[in-house]
Every structure is written in C-alpha cells, then in structure tokens.
Amino acid sequence: MATQTSGGPVYDSVLDAVGATPLVRLGRIVPDGGAPVWVKTEGTNPGGSVKDRAAVAMVRAAEESGALRHGGTIVEGTSGNTGVGLAMVAAARGYRAVLVVPDRTTPEKIALLRAYGAEVVTTPGLVPKQDPRHVQQLAARIAAETPGGWLADQYGNPANPDVHEHTTGPEIWTQTGGRVTHLVAGAGTGGTVTGAGRYLSARGVQVVAADPWTSRYGGGDGSPYAVEAVGHYLHPLTETDTWPAVYDTAVPNRTERVDDGESLRTLRRLAREEGLLVGGSGGLAVAAALRVSAQAGPDGLVVAVLPDSGRIYLSRYFDDARLRTLGFLDAPQGPLVRDAVGPYEPGLRVAPATATVAEVRAGLGDGPLPDLVPVVQPRTTDATTWAVPDVVGCVRVAELAGLAADDRVGAHAGPPPVTVGHGEGLDEALTRLDADGVGSGDPVLVLVDGRAVTQVHRSDLRR
Ligand code: PMP
C-alpha cells in the first residue's frame, strides 16, 4: 500500500516500492537523425534490479496458491539479481531463504545475499545441466527435501513474465503516452522481454531482443561471453539444450546480436556521457537500441530496459587496466601490442577440452605447426560467470605425439597460456610478461575483445 504525498509516496513495506521505475531520455549518445532512446532504469528498484519485480510476484503467487506458507523456506538456484530480490522478499515477509550459487560467484555477491539474512550454498559452476550438482538441480533437491520448502523456479514460473505484462509493459506505455514504437530488452530467463513485449506488441510496438553475439538465443554457438546475466550459454556436455519455459520466443519480432566489445564500450559511454552507471546487460540493450534508433528514424521512440546498476560490476567492466589486458580497450598512448604483432591470419586453432588427442592432431593439418594449442571451455551454463577469455588451458604440440590417441586433451591441458590485449601498451604488456617470468621463446596469445585471435612469441613483441 502507498500513501501519495507531494514529497513522494510513503509505503508500508519495501516490497511496495518495487516497480514504477523512471524513464530517462538519453541525451548525448543517440545517433543524429535517429529515434529518441529512452531508458527504463530498473536499477532504481530497492533490491537494485529488474528481478525485484519477478521475486515479489513469484512469492505473492506462491502465497496465494498455498505453495509457500508461514514459516516456509524460499529456495532458488541463482547468484544474480533474482537471489537478491528473493533474499529481500524473504526478509521483508519473514521467510527463510536458501540460495544455491556457483562456486565462482564473487565474494561481494555472496556477502550481499548473506547481508539480507539468506543462507548461501555453493556448488561447482562448470558442470553440465544434468549433473546433480548443477545449480538448478541442487536447488530443486534442497527445495524438495526441506519441510515447507518452495522452489521459486524463475525459468519456469509464469509469475515471472506475467509481472512484466502487468507492470513493466503498461508503465512504459503510460510513461511514453503511447508513443513508444520499439521495445529493446535482453533475455536471461526471457521474463522481461516476453511479458513487457506481450503487452506492448498488442499495441503495435516492435519488440527487439538484444542478445550477446555467441548466445544460443540469437543463433550463436553457445560459447562464453563477457556480458553477464543475459543470453543462453551451452555447456558442451549438456545433453539437451532446454530453453526457459517462460521465454516465449514468438514475442520478439527480431533479435539484435551484439558482441562483447560493443556492449562494453556502450556501457562505458553510458557512464561517462550520460551519467548512467549500469550493468553489462544495460550496455547490451542500449547498443542494440542505438542501432534500432538509427533504423527507425526521428519518428520512432525506442525504449530500452536497463536491468541493473553498474555498482556491483566495477571490477569487471570499469577496471581499465584489466579491460586493456583482455583486448577490449586501447591504451591512451602507443606503441600498442598490435603495432608489434602486425597482420595475422584469422582463425586461430583452438581445441575444445572434450576433443580427443587424435582429433587435435588431425586438426593441425599440414604446414607450420604452432607451439601450443589453446584449450577452450568448459563452457559454463552459469549465466553469471565472467568466462572471458574462453581459454582454459593449453597443450604443447610437441607433447601430443606421446599421448594416447583417444584421450581427451582437457585431461592433459597445462595452465592457460599467457595473454596480452591487442590494444595494451607494449611497454605495459612487456613489464607484465617479465614479472610473470615469460621467456623470450615462450608463446603468448593475443586477445581482441576477450577472445584469442593469434599466437606469437614473447620475442615478437618488440618496439
Ligand atoms: N540483466 C540482468 C542484470 C539480470 O540479472 C537479468 C536476469 N537474469 C536480466 C538482464 C534478464 O532478465 P530476464 O530474466 O527477465 O530475461
């Protein structure tokens, strides 16, 4: 319940403060002649993200159906914003919350969940979906074995898309006075784009799903990407690639695929040129929205959903030195690594950890052999893992001959090779390699936008 006053609303509970988020008109980064782009700032929700809406709605629906009763326990597998939303609802409504998170979840995120009084259970993040230790499998088991346990199941719970159909979509329609022509939103569970999209497309709005380049949703290969909490990864050992039941892929009219580099650079422009500090999925959505704006022209009105704030990603997306070593940013001054590397042949040979020694040997073909083959994956099904670069190890080509032909290379992989970003300052990179004890004949992988593109020797990196 809210009491409206001229100073703003007064609520009985923090949960009533979820939703009714501001729209902000982008001022400086919209292309000339393009449609205006307005952004829905979901980071202003009290738990910090769009997932507060789903958390409140799922719990209310469970209370109404009797699935969740007084003294009950809310269980979910999530390291992300849904966990925070559920922890907040559990605290406000007096439930216990048990959240299962992948072991690579940052200590800050675990601390955030615990700060709300939630119990956190960690489990390996790099396992296929059918493995009983998989985040979602383990959460389902805990919910079933806990008396009064209730699994929120954001991927299958219809209250998730429904809340966006009943709140997010209508808010956007009202806030734009019915003038919105395009909705742009990323899809994690797909709840936002399905629900808000359903409401708005019934009113003639074009719905555009923004998707990381390699995500399966938009037709990518399912390999890892840097933007967290959206898109769909595919672990190579996952037997059946199931998509969330709540994502109605018929709702978006089309998908804009955006690579990590463009998403990260857009996100940084949002902070520096618009004063909007948002997470990676907000950078992705705005990158797609800027394209849609250019296509729609001045008569359109594009609304992009910014799902959360950038505060919990400072060490990911706003650490310039780290982004340079990953090949996302250029050093302010040259010479750069790419000046020393020069032109390279595209198509660096890499081996999935699951490939056999014989397959890798055959894949090398004729011609000059590289020193090592980077081993990529295991890909992760955990949508909150910073899985870039995607190289997890390497095998030395000289050692392949001594290995059993049908062994998997993953079992023989040594530590990942040293990497440098192509836009890293050359001196900066060399200082780092020296500190790591890299010898002049040692191989070094060069990264562009978090992906290995070529292999050089330390001695090639000369001014
Ligand atoms: N961005 C962020 C930061 C999120 O946490 C989520 C939820 N996983 C999304 C986008 C996607 O929202 P949805 O689950 O509604 O598709």
Side-chain angles (χ1 to χ4, degrees):
M1 281 287 291
T3 312
Q4 299 297 334
T5 77
S6 59
V10 179
Y11 300 111
D12 289 337
S13 155
V14 68
L15 305 186
D16 297 328
V18 171
T21 51
L23 267 192
V24 177
R25 299 183 175 100
L26 293 188
R28 297 171 62 190
I29 70 169
V30 179
D32 286 341
V37 177
W38 296 6
V39 292
K40 184 85 169 143
T41 54
E42 290 297 304
T44 60
N45 279 301
S49 86
V50 68
K51 299 306 301 202
D52 287 1
R53 296 181 190 258
V56 172
M58 291 190 295
V59 169
R60 288 214 172 114
E63 287 174 340
E64 276 159 29
S65 74
L68 178 63
R69 294 175 197 276
H70 182 68
T73 300
I74 297 172
V75 186
E76 182 69 322
T78 162
S79 65
N81 289 319
T82 306
V84 179
L86 287 170
M88 174 182 75
V89 181
R93 307 277 303 154
Y95 298 110
R96 190 178 155 218
V98 178
L99 301 167
V100 181
V101 308
D103 51 7
R104 291 170 65 173
T105 307
T106 59
E108 288 91 332
K109 280 195 177 168
I110 292 178
L112 183 56
L113 299 171
R114 290 199 172 126
Y116 281 106
E119 292 157 54
V120 177
V121 177
T122 57
T123 188
L126 302 178
V127 294
K129 204 157 185 179
Q130 64 275 10
D131 190 305
R133 294 167 302 165
H134 184 274
V135 173
Q136 286 171 45
Q137 304 279 353
L138 182 57
R141 203 184 79 213
I142 292 174
E145 290 174 357
T146 306
W150 167 74
L151 183 71
D153 185 23
Q154 57 170 332
Y155 292 95
N157 191 328
N160 169 12
D162 286 357
V163 73
H164 295 290
E165 190 169 352
H166 295 127
T167 67
T168 320
E171 286 169 27
I172 292 171
W173 185 250
T174 309
Q175 285 168 303
T176 59
R179 289 191 297 125
V180 54
T181 59
H182 295 79
L183 171 74
V184 183
T189 65
T192 309
V193 79
T194 298
R198 251 185 209 144
Y199 181 90
L200 292 171
S201 68
R203 285 154 185 82
V205 175
Q206 289 285 307
V207 178
V208 180
D211 206 37
W213 188 261
T214 56
S215 155
R216 292 292 300 139
Y217 288 150
D221 64 8
S223 63
Y225 40 86
V227 171
E228 293 183 36
V230 273
H232 189 67
Y233 289 95
L234 187 60
H235 190 288
L237 300 179
T238 292
E239 284 159 8
T240 326
D241 178 21
T242 39
W243 290 15
V246 299
Y247 187 8
D248 181 351
T249 52
V251 171
N253 298 88
R254 63 195 176 84
T255 301
E256 279 289 340
R257 293 171 66 193
V258 182
D259 67 38
D260 285 337
E262 191 178 340
S263 295
L264 261 61
R265 284 184 281 271
T266 307
L267 151 102
R268 293 165 58 87
R269 290 191 70 195
L270 279 170
R272 286 158 186 237
E273 296 175 46
E274 301 281 352
L276 283 163
L277 190 68
V278 301
S281 62
L284 168 87
V286 172
L290 295 181
R291 290 187 202 162
V292 172
S293 154
Q295 294 152 7
D299 295 335
L301 173 53
V302 181
V303 172
V305 179
L306 302 184
D308 68 355
S309 153
R311 280 189 181 225
I312 54 168
Y313 308 101
L314 292 180
S315 60
R316 298 261 204 266
Y317 307 134
F318 298 97
D319 178 344
D320 290 10
R322 176 165 164 72
L323 291 181
R324 283 200 290 271
T325 64
L326 288 168
F328 284 108
L329 284 187
D330 284 358
Q333 275 166 3
L336 306 180
V337 164
R338 69 165 159 270
D339 300 326
V341 169
Y344 56 84
E345 289 286 313
L348 175 77
R349 277 170 294 197
V350 295
T354 46
T356 63
V357 168
E359 284 164 349
V360 177
R361 272 192 231 145
L364 289 173
D366 303 325
L369 291 178
D371 293 323
L372 54 83
V373 178
V375 175
V376 293
Q377 310 164 336
R379 293 178 187 161
T380 149
T381 49
D382 153 27
T384 60
T385 303
W386 173 259
V388 172
D390 59 347
V391 176
V392 296
C394 69
V395 283
R396 299 204 164 256
V397 171
E399 288 167 13
L400 279 177
L403 301 176
D406 52 4
D407 270 9
R408 306 225 174 253
V409 285
H412 297 286
V418 184
T419 60
V420 291
H422 77 145
E424 213 179 336
L426 189 55
D427 289 337
E428 193 185 358
L430 290 173
T431 307
R432 205 159 51 77
L433 297 185
D434 287 345
D436 289 350
V438 178
S440 80
D442 287 345
V444 175
L445 287 183
V446 181
L447 304 177
V448 174
D449 288 355
R451 302 218 148 212
V453 295
T454 190
Q455 189 176 138
V456 298
H457 293 109
R458 157 76 170 78
S459 54
D460 298 323
L461 298 174
R462 279 189 306 259
R463 277 169 172 272

